[in-house]
Amino acid sequence: MAHTTRRGRTALVAVIGGALLLGGCGTGGSHDKKVDLHALLPEAVRKAGVLRVGASFTAAPVVYRNDRNEPDGLDPHLAEKLGEVLGIRLEFQDAGAFANVLPGLMKRQYDIAMSGITDTREREEGLDKDGKPTGPGVDFVDYFMAGIGIAVDKGNPQGITDIDHLCGHTVVVKKGTTHDDLVQRQTKVCDHQGKQLKLVETDTDTAALEKLKGQADAFITDYPKAQYAAQTVDNGDAFQIGGPQIQPRPFGIALRKEDAALRDVLMRAMNRLITDGTYDQVLSDHNLAVGAIQNSVINGST
C-alpha cells in the first residue's frame, strides 16, 4: 500500500471518525524531540530495562506468530520502535485466547497489553456489556483506527453487507471481543424480527475462519483482520469483505489505571514515532496505512 502523507492521514481521520483522536490529550511535536523519554519512565521500568507486553497471537496482520514462531504484525513492530525511543525492550508474552488479555493485565501477569484491543468506554470504566461494573477499568494509549469488517464466502452468496443482514444466519466471532458483544446484542434484534441469528464463539481467528468455511455465513471481526483473511486464505479465493468498514474506533495499548506515569510516556513515545515518520512506515510495511491516526491520545473513545 502506498505511503500515506500526513495531510492525507488528517483528512482520513476526520472522515472516518478519528476526530475522537484529535482532542487535547496528545503531547508531541518538535518541542518534544529533545525530551529524554527514558528518564521519564517509572524507576522500576528503567531498572528492569524491559516492559512485559500481554497479547493474544491470534489476529493477523495485527499480532500473530510468523513462520519462525516469533511475534509479528503491526503491534510487535510498533512495540519494537517504541522500545527504541524509550531505551528499553518491549517483550511480548502469550496470553492465549484474546479473552485472557485484559484479565491477565489486571492480575499483573504483564505490564501493558497490546493486542489489537479496541478502546471502548466500557473497558475504560470497567463495565460489562450490560453496563454493570466489573472492576476498575483500564486506560488506553490510542495508536490506530479500525472499524468492523464482515468476512463472508467468496461471491457473498448470502448477500450480507451490514449488521442488519445477519438475521437468519450463523455468525462466528472471537470470544471476549467487542464483536462478540455486538452480535450478542443483534441476536435480540433478530429474535424480535422472528429471524434467529445463531452465534458461534471461538478463541482464535483461525478457528473462526474454519467455521466460516463450514457452518457460518459471516465472521465479524476488525476490518484489517477481515481484509487480511480475504486476501490471504486460499490465495484469496475463499473469502471476501461483505460491505464497507463499519463504526471505526481506536485501538489502544492498555494499562492499569494506577500506571499513569507509564501511560503518559508511552503516549509521548508514540507521538514521536508519528512526528518523525516511523509510524507511517510501520503501517505501510503491514499494508495498514488506512488506519493511521494524526496523533496519539489517552482514552480517545470517550
Side-chain angles (χ1 to χ4, degrees):
M1 187 172 291
H3 183 76
T4 303
T5 65
R6 189 167 309 282
R7 185 175 181 180
R9 179 173 65 233
T10 302
L12 175 68
V13 168
V15 169
I16 68 172
L20 295 171
L21 301 183
L22 299 179
C25 300
T27 300
S30 58
H31 69 280
D32 203 45
K33 292 180 180 179
K34 298 179 181 179
V35 177
D36 181 2
L37 296 183
H38 180 80
L40 298 181
L41 287 166
E43 183 179 1
V45 176
R46 293 200 309 273
K47 287 184 175 179
V50 62
L51 269 180
R52 300 169 301 156
V53 185
S56 175
F57 298 97
T58 59
V62 177
V63 55
Y64 61 100
R65 291 192 183 277
N66 59 27
D67 293 340
R68 299 181 300 278
N69 201 36
E70 300 167 339
D72 204 344
L74 173 66
D75 285 359
H77 197 173
L78 272 179
E80 177 187 354
K81 297 303 181 182
L82 285 172
E84 292 174 4
V85 168
L86 294 170
I88 58 173
R89 187 165 46 89
L90 275 72
E91 182 180 274
F92 276 72
Q93 299 185 359
D94 196 343
F98 180 82
N100 298 337
V101 174
L102 290 180
L105 175 67
M106 303 312 292
K107 293 175 183 175
R108 300 186 174 274
Q109 293 173 356
Y110 26 82
D111 303 305
I112 64 175
M114 193 173 185
S115 191
I117 307 170
T118 302
D119 175 358
T120 67
R121 182 183 66 84
E122 290 78 13
R123 286 172 173 162
E124 290 174 16
E125 298 180 8
L127 306 174
D128 66 15
K129 62 180 182 295
D130 297 317
K132 297 178 181 178
T134 60
V138 296
D139 282 338
F140 287 99
V141 175
D142 295 334
Y143 62 93
F144 187 72
M145 289 293 293
I148 298 166
I150 305 174
V152 297
D153 291 326
K154 199 74 172 182
N156 197 4
Q158 303 296 334
I160 299 171
T161 59
D162 59 35
I163 299 300
D164 290 336
H165 289 162
L166 299 179
C167 295
H169 295 289
T170 298
V171 181
V172 62
V173 297
K174 195 158 64 176
K175 189 176 181 179
T177 61
T178 55
H179 316 105
D180 193 358
D181 294 342
L182 173 68
V183 177
Q184 287 188 45
R185 290 194 297 270
Q186 187 64 19
T187 58
K188 300 175 183 177
V189 175
C190 295
D191 286 343
H192 286 307
Q193 295 179 5
K195 295 192 288 186
Q196 184 182 13
L197 187 165
K198 182 179 179 182
L199 172 64
V200 178
E201 297 175 314
T202 68
D203 285 332
T204 68
D205 284 9
T206 301
L209 291 170
E210 286 301 314
K211 295 289 186 184
L212 183 55
K213 285 183 176 181
Q215 70 187 96
D217 301 313
F219 171 33
I220 309 301
T221 186
D222 294 314
Y223 190 86
K225 301 170 193 175
Q227 185 178 51
Y228 183 82
Q231 293 170 344
T232 61
V233 176
D234 295 345
N235 296 315
D237 293 331
F239 309 123
Q240 70 179 58
I241 301 294
Q245 182 171 224
I246 304 167
Q247 301 173 7
R249 285 178 163 184
F251 281 178
I253 302 171
L255 299 95
R256 294 179 291 269
K257 291 287 187 182
E258 64 263 31
D259 293 330
L262 177 59
R263 176 201 68 193
D264 291 350
V265 75
L266 280 172
M267 181 191 67
R268 294 179 74 162
M270 187 66 72
N271 276 318
R272 187 169 293 184
L273 295 181
I274 292 172
T275 300
D276 69 15
T278 302
Y279 172 84
D280 277 340
Q281 186 57 57
V282 170
L283 266 63
S284 180
D285 289 346
H286 296 277
N287 293 321
L288 291 171
V290 68
I293 61 171
Q294 181 183 12
N295 65 297
S296 176
V297 301
I298 294 165
N299 297 337
S301 74
T302 54

